[in-house]
Amino acid sequence: MAHFMLEITYTVPLEQIETKLAEHRAFLQTGYDQGWLLCSGPQNPRIGGIVIARAPSLEALQTLFANDPYQIANFADYRFVEFNPVKFQPWLEDWVNGSVE
């Protein structure tokens, strides 16, 4: 599994983002259910969001996020940064090593 930090940057006013927020969070749950997402949340200030993820490949993660309601509505830009988690809390070992779904 490859590991990623995903930066989502809103391209529309927050009022428009709010109209898709529940759908966006329901979409994110599909990634959690797959075991691909570790954590996610809004940036501060609220100009977008951050997701920590793992996936078989960049292309697989991009395919997943093509279904994000923000992406479908063209409400945000996405930046995928692959990284190698060489240090992490011991309780994350199974997730980092891909042995937990």
Side-chain angles (χ1 to χ4, degrees):
M1 291 286 225
H3 297 84
F4 302 89
M5 185 278 305
L6 170 56
E7 180 182 32
I8 301 171
T9 304
Y10 304 147
T11 58
V12 297
L14 195 52
E15 295 76 26
Q16 285 180 268
I17 293 297
E18 292 288 344
T19 68
K20 297 284 185 190
L21 182 58
E23 292 174 58
H24 168 70
R25 288 186 176 161
F27 156 76
L28 289 175
Q29 189 58 50
T30 65
Y32 283 103
D33 293 345
Q34 278 182 270
W36 286 15
L37 304 186
L38 177 64
C39 62
S40 58
Q43 296 181 42
N44 188 11
R46 199 162 162 213
I47 59 169
I50 299 291
V51 179
I52 302 299
R54 67 176 185 176
S57 66
L58 171 60
E59 294 77 18
L61 191 61
Q62 288 172 326
T63 297
L64 173 70
F65 273 86
N67 295 306
D68 184 349
Y70 292 166
Q71 176 90 312
I72 293 168
N74 203 28
F75 281 7
D77 290 330
Y78 296 73
R79 183 171 73 103
F80 297 83
V81 178
E82 187 170 352
F83 71 99
N84 185 14
V86 296
K87 292 210 41 91
F88 46 85
Q89 292 288 345
W91 50 266
L92 271 177
E93 185 168 359
D94 287 342
W95 190 86
V96 169
N97 292 324
S99 58
V100 171
E101 289 295 320

